[in-house]
């Protein structure tokens, strides 16, 4: 059975549970329908097909959520996830922004993936992921509904991320009791991971403290074709041509993939030496065709003297963290939990 | 490690937790939760796939990938642009419908005379549209027609890329649409006739697709019930269709200091009212008045309405119900119609479903439970007039409440529509029926004709919830609808649960619902229209908060709840598709001052909301087979 480049489709089927294969393949199919060869995007069909869930101020499995318009002029919305309060089974609506009651609560500012073009903060896959993060890490999660490409190119997503970071850092109700500070971690998968890097950089320059970066299968690239891209092209749900499409859709017109947004440690990259950059947790899936770029990113941080932990999951494909029915999911979640709770909570 | 993660699994009910745990431990087990149930992990992500179907769904994905690969770009763009997609949650059907685009069915026996279906080839592949330009329709999309409804019966039509569509009309400024009386109807969301009025061959292809989808829709019904169950915090009551949801969508738009104190005071007051602490309640109501004045924008208005409603409840000065002054109600609704897109969306999406159901029928009959001023019907009539092969005979039965001055409003509306019909050459027949309540109707009154002679649509926009105020009423009305044997039933309702048994819960729900709704009005240009719309909504607020028993008619319930009611009454979903979604979205984009409006697809239904909060939901239904609607 021939796949998109003559390789058997059954390869990817052998490394993930069937329902995960169905989920990711479904997304692949969906995404194929939405990208047009001329670089435009069928936004209406995308919104129609995306499975969304509303926020829910009633706790489900001990977690409730609510949406906040954090900036009216930009129409920027965030979905906030919190553990339910122990005293009351259902938070009163005025208690949604009730001050945090614990000595230490990590606040994870989360940027969903979708290669800058797909998904939203209220997409079901990301709503679910964020809930899981809250439950496992005992954190508050703020999921940012950033503007997407190709309608909004670089640097819109970064600007929205920056706005969100500033908003979160100025919320007194998010302060940990131990030191009356908001302990912020930036996290994101795919394009979200890419946004994490840029927002952290901006934060460092503006001296807003970010306690750590979590990059899950972050989206990076470059002009060069790396070994992993050549070797894994089309084999595990992802191909080079679509990666190229998304970069063309996000980067400014006329730019190539060595633009620093795409290739932060490339020829046009900026040195991070001496910058007070947060510690980073970089998760790389061994069957992700852009892993060479992700590994290069981790290396780049290391060479610049920054603290970085690399978690390489050999047999993992993209999207492994969307379903909790594989070992990789638990490995990563536990790592993230330790990462944001450094005092061994 | 595994035990502490058990809460990550959707626990619909205890009996599934064991299988979920079992599924988790069998890491690579394909049959994650065993047997005939839906795969729970995918269900949480919005996809309904039976575990037992997983392998088959995987196979379809593979087939589709192969077929798309060999079909290359043309096939892909066709699937994206031509195909109408329905209910993407039902993966199996969705994939099947796309596969069938590549392997079309043979023409039906007896044919429609439209000639054999051929493999859909994008002979002239539609040029992709620049993203974000709603003024440029695609080459194959339908025309928008505008009709002046009123003194001037002039009709204009614009097709494809005509100048009327391309250039923004002068009235649309960046600050919002300015409506002047004469041309106000030009901005109504007239029906974009859509696929339903297109060439037979294409329409047939879709009818085929839809027929097949309809036969699997019973699975959608049951999975909708699953969705409802997921949010339930208590066992459902035995009453038909009354399962309340414990889901509270909240969008906080105003987290200013004063706003929070205001909400605090409102909720404390509601609490006091519920506890019958009327002196405290009274004090709080006064405090709210002061706090409200210091607020700006939507929150001030909402707080004022809620405070007034609370005051009425405290002092037992209840509003008149039914309202005496219908002309005022009419005017208020008209302003609401003009100010914001909710009613237009309701009409537009309902009309889409009706048009599709009336496909190929030569005599059609619409029974409108929500006649009011008949604002929904000019657009439908326009669309019918444009059908290739000519319009069907169109019969309209309008039902409305009696007017106190004995004026025959219903007849007046009918007369205006008749004038329109004449201009556009649609054979038109009209009957108006006055009824205090829909429950007073019997099928015999409606002068039905045999269903093979006439296709019937029953339409209800914001009316069904009123029946929940009297026991037995909704059941009776749904029974009558069944007797009518409609081809389609269109229902639009507020997407909220304002009918819970506990007053404080209703208060809180409606406070947040109307806060969101009022916030969406803030962007509107015309203060006159906006003010009237607010009064219109204020009356609803008053009813929800101040009234009880048979007087409390604004008993809004959610889509999930209506699904249970309608399913229990023997109806099955008729899905609204990506074409309706897209056209509704595009028309919304024309609504300046409303950047936050969002259309969402929900299991075959469409909702319109403000940002992430759905506020109204349109659903369409048809009669289930003999096995559907068994005793609930």
């Amino acid at each position: 059975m021939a796949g998109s480049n003559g390789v058997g489709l059954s390869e990817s089927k052998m490394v993930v549970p069937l329902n995960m294969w169905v989920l990711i393949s479904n997304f692949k199919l969906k995404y194929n329908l939405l990208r047009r060869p001329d670089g435009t995007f069928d936004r209406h069909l995308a919104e129609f097909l995306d499975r969304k869930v509303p926020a829910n101020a009633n706790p489900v499995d001990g977690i409730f959520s609510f949406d906040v318009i954090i900036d009216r002029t930009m129409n920027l919305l965030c979905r906030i996830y919190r553990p339910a309060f122990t005293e009351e089974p259902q938070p009163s609506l005025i208690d949604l922004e009730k001050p945090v009651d614990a000595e230490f609560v990590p606040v994870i500012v989360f940027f969903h993936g979708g290669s800058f073009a797909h998904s939203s903060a209220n997409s079901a896959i990301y709503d679910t992921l964020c809930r899981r993060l809250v439950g496992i890490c005992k954190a508050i999660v703020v999921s940012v509904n950033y503007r997407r490409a190709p309608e909004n190119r670089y640097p819109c997503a970064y600007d929205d991320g920056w706005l969100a970071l500033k908003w979160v850092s100025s919320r007194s109700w998010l302060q940990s009791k131990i030191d009356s500070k908001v302990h912020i971690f930036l996290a994101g998968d795919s394009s979200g991971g890419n946004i994490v890097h840029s927002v952290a950089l901006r934060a460092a320059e503006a001296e807003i403290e970010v306690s750590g970066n979590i990059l899950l299968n972050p989206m990076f690239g470059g002009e060069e074709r790396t070994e992993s891209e050549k070797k894994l092209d089309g084999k595990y749900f992802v191909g080079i041509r679509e990666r190229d499409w998304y970069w063309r859709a996000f980067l400014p017109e006329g730019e190539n993939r060595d633009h620093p947004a795409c290739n932060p440690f490339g020829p046009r990259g900026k040195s991070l030496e001496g910058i007070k950059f947060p510690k980073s947790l970089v998760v790389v899936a061994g069957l992700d065709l852009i892993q060479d770029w992700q590994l290069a990113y981790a290396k780049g941080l290391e060479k610049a003297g920054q603290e970085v932990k690399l978690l390489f999951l050999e047999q993992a494909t993209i999207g492994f963290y969307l379903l909790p029915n594989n070992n990789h999911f638990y490995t990563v979640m536990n790592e993230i939990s330790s990462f944001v709770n450094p005092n061994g909570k | 490690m595994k035990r502490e993660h058990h809460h990550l699994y959707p626990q619909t009910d205890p009996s599934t937790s064991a299988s979920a745990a079992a599924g988790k431990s069998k890491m690579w087990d394909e049959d994650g939760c065993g047997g005939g149930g839906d795969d729970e992990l995918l269900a949480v992500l919005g996809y309904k796939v039976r575990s037992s179907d997983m392998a088959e769904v995987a196979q379809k994905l593979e087939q589709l990938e192969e077929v798309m690969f060999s079909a290359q770009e043309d096939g892909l763009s066709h699937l994206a642009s031509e195909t109408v997609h329905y209910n993407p949650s039902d993966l199996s059907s969705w994939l099947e419908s796309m596969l069938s685009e590549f392997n079309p069915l043979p023409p039906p026996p007896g044919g429609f005379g439209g000639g054999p279906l051929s493999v859909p080839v994008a002979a002239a592949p539609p040029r992709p549209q620049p993203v974000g330009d709603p003024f440029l329709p695609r080459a194959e999309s339908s025309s928008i027609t505008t009709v002046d409804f009123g003194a001037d019966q002039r009709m204009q039509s614009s097709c494809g890329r005509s100048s009327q569509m391309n250039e923004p009309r002068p009235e649309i400024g960046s600050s919002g649409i300015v409506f002047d009386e004469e041309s106000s109807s030009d901005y109504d969301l007239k029906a974009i006739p859509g696929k339903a009025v297109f060439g037979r061959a294409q329409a047939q292809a879709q009818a085929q697709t839809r027929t097949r989808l309809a036969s699997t829709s019973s699975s959608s019904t049951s999975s909708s019930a699953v969705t409802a169950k997921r949010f339930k915090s208590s066992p459902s009551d035995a009453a038909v269709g009354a399962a309340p949801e414990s889901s509270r969508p909240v969008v906080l738009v105003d987290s200013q200091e004063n706003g929070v104190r205001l909400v605090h005071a409102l909720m404390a007051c509601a609490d006091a009212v519920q506890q019958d602490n009327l002196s405290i309640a009274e004090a709080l109501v006064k405090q709210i008045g002061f706090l409200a004045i210091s607020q700006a924008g939507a929150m001030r208005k909402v707080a004022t309405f809620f405070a007034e409603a609370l005051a009425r409840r405290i002092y037992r000065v209840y509003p008149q119900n039914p309202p005496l002054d219908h002309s005022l109600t009419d005017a208020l609704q008209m302003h609401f119609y003009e100010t914001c897109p909710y009613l237009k969306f309701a009409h537009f999406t309902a009309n889409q479903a009706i048009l599709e159901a009336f496909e190929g029928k030569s005599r059609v009959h619409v029974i409108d439970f929500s006649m009011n001023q008949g604002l929904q019907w000019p657009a439908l009539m326009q669309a019918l007039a444009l059908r290739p092969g000519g319009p069907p005979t169109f019969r309209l039965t309008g039902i409305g409440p009696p007017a106190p001055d004995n004026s025959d409003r219903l007849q007046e509306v009918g007369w205006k529509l008749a004038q329109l019909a004449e201009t556009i050459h649609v054979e038109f027949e009209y009957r108006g029926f006055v009824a205090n309540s829909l429950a007073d109707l019997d099928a015999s009154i409606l002068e039905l004709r045999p269903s093979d002679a006439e296709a019937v649509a029953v339409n209800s926009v914001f009316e069904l919830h009123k029946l929940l105020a009297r026991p037995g009423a909704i059941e009776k009305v749904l029974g009558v609808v069944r007797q009518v044997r409609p081809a389609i039933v269109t229902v639009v309702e507020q997407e909220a649960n304002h009918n819970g048994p506990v007053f404080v819960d209703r208060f809180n729900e409606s406070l947040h619902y109307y806060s969101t709704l009022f916030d969406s009005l803030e962007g509107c240009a015309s203060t006159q229209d906006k003010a009237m719309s607010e009064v219109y909504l204020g009356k609803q607020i008053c009813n929800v908060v101040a009234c009880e028993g048979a007087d409390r008619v604004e008993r809004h319930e959610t889509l999930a709840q209506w699904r249970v009611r309608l399913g229990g009454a023997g109806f099955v979903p008729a899905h609204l598709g990506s074409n309706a979604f897209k056209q509704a979205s595009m028309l919304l984009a024309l609504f300046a001052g409303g950047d936050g409006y969002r259309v969402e697809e929900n299991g075959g239904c469409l909702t319109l909301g403000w940002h992430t909060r759905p506020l109204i939901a349109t659903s369409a239904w048809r009669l289930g087979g003999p096995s559907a609607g068994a005793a609930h």
Side-chain angles (χ1 to χ4, degrees), chain B residues 61 63 344 390 493 527:
Chain B
L61 279 161
Q63 278 179 310
K344 298 183 187 199
E493 284 288 328
T527 42

Side-chain angles (χ1 to χ4, degrees), chain A residues 1 4 15 19 26 28 33 41 44 48 51 55-58 61 67 69 72 75 91-94 325 330, chain B residues 7 27 39 65-66 69 80 85 89 91 94 131 246 248-250 252 267 512 519 581 595 601 611-612:
Chain A
M1 242 187 331
S4 57
V15 294
N19 59 357
N26 167 56
K28 177 179 160 189
L33 294 176
F41 189 79
H44 292 302
F48 176 82
R51 305 292 80 204
N56 192 353
N58 290 338
D61 291 336
D67 293 338
I69 313 261
R72 287 281 232 165
N75 249 347
S92 157
L93 290 168
I94 47 175
N325 58 357
Y330 293 103
Chain B
H7 66 273
M27 289 294 186
D39 182 298
E65 165 126 12
E66 277 176 50
F69 177 67
H85 300 264
S89 284
L91 265 187
W94 181 58
V131 170
S246 58
R248 270 195 289 172
V250 179
L252 282 186
M267 288 171 56
H512 275 257
D519 196 67
F581 179 98
D595 251 357
E601 194 280 341
H611 292 283
T612 50

